[in-house]
Amino acid sequence: MPETDPVDPATSWEYTLYIPNDLRAVTVCRRTLRLILTMHGLIRLVDTAELLATELVSNAVRHTTGPAALRVRWVAGVLRIGAWDADPGPPEPPTAFEAHAEEGRGLALVRACADLWGWQPLARDGNRGKYVWCDLVAA
């Protein structure tokens, strides 16, 4: 996972859930995220956050062969949701959103629903991979 600035425990928090390369892990991540946000009083963000996390984690599991992780961070009124995977290659760029498409719309949904999104390659302790993230700003 990427290095981050220190989190002030009085106003900020962060969770990381490491998962195997298994499509069932997407449901585990979604339900865990719902519980985290509910416990922190952020129920108004749950539906959009679940959609975004589902797309990010599902891409990490479907398009790689190694482990993955969901990371959720709250700092200064911004919820960052990210997925790490072991493949250092960039994600496919989002295409035009087609509502009836069965595949290929994940990052288009992220781009449409998040306030900001991006990705970064990672290399730490001999491990390589990437971190794809998005932000939701609480009004």
Side-chain angles (χ1 to χ4, degrees):
M1 297 302 299
E3 295 294 324
T4 61
D5 298 327
V7 175
D8 176 7
T11 59
S12 305
W13 45 263
E14 181 176 315
Y15 296 86
T16 302
L17 177 63
Y18 292 93
I19 59 171
N21 190 285
D22 183 334
L23 281 175
R24 294 173 292 191
V26 176
T27 301
V28 172
C29 288
R30 188 173 53 244
R31 290 181 179 168
T32 302
L33 176 62
R34 175 174 284 274
L35 180 61
I36 291 168
L37 295 178
T38 300
M39 296 304 292
H40 283 284
L42 296 170
I43 194 74
R44 67 190 179 282
L45 298 178
V46 166
D47 291 336
T48 303
E50 276 186 326
L51 172 67
L52 295 171
T54 298
E55 295 302 333
L56 295 178
V57 173
S58 130
N59 281 349
V61 172
R62 286 182 183 189
H63 301 295
T64 67
T65 58
L70 169 69
R71 182 171 169 206
V72 183
R73 184 177 189 202
W74 174 261
V75 177
V78 177
L79 180 68
R80 175 160 289 182
I81 303 164
W84 168 83
D85 66 55
D87 180 359
E92 290 292 321
T95 57
F97 183 76
E98 296 178 24
H100 301 294
E102 293 276 329
E103 292 183 3
R105 60 184 183 172
L107 286 180
L109 277 171
V110 171
R111 182 177 60 188
C113 296
D115 294 301
L116 187 64
W117 80 277
W119 78 280
Q120 62 192 70
L122 301 175
R124 190 164 104 193
D125 301 327
N127 296 322
R128 295 173 49 97
K130 70 176 162 295
Y131 181 64
V132 183
W133 56 269
C134 63
D135 288 347
L136 286 177
V137 177

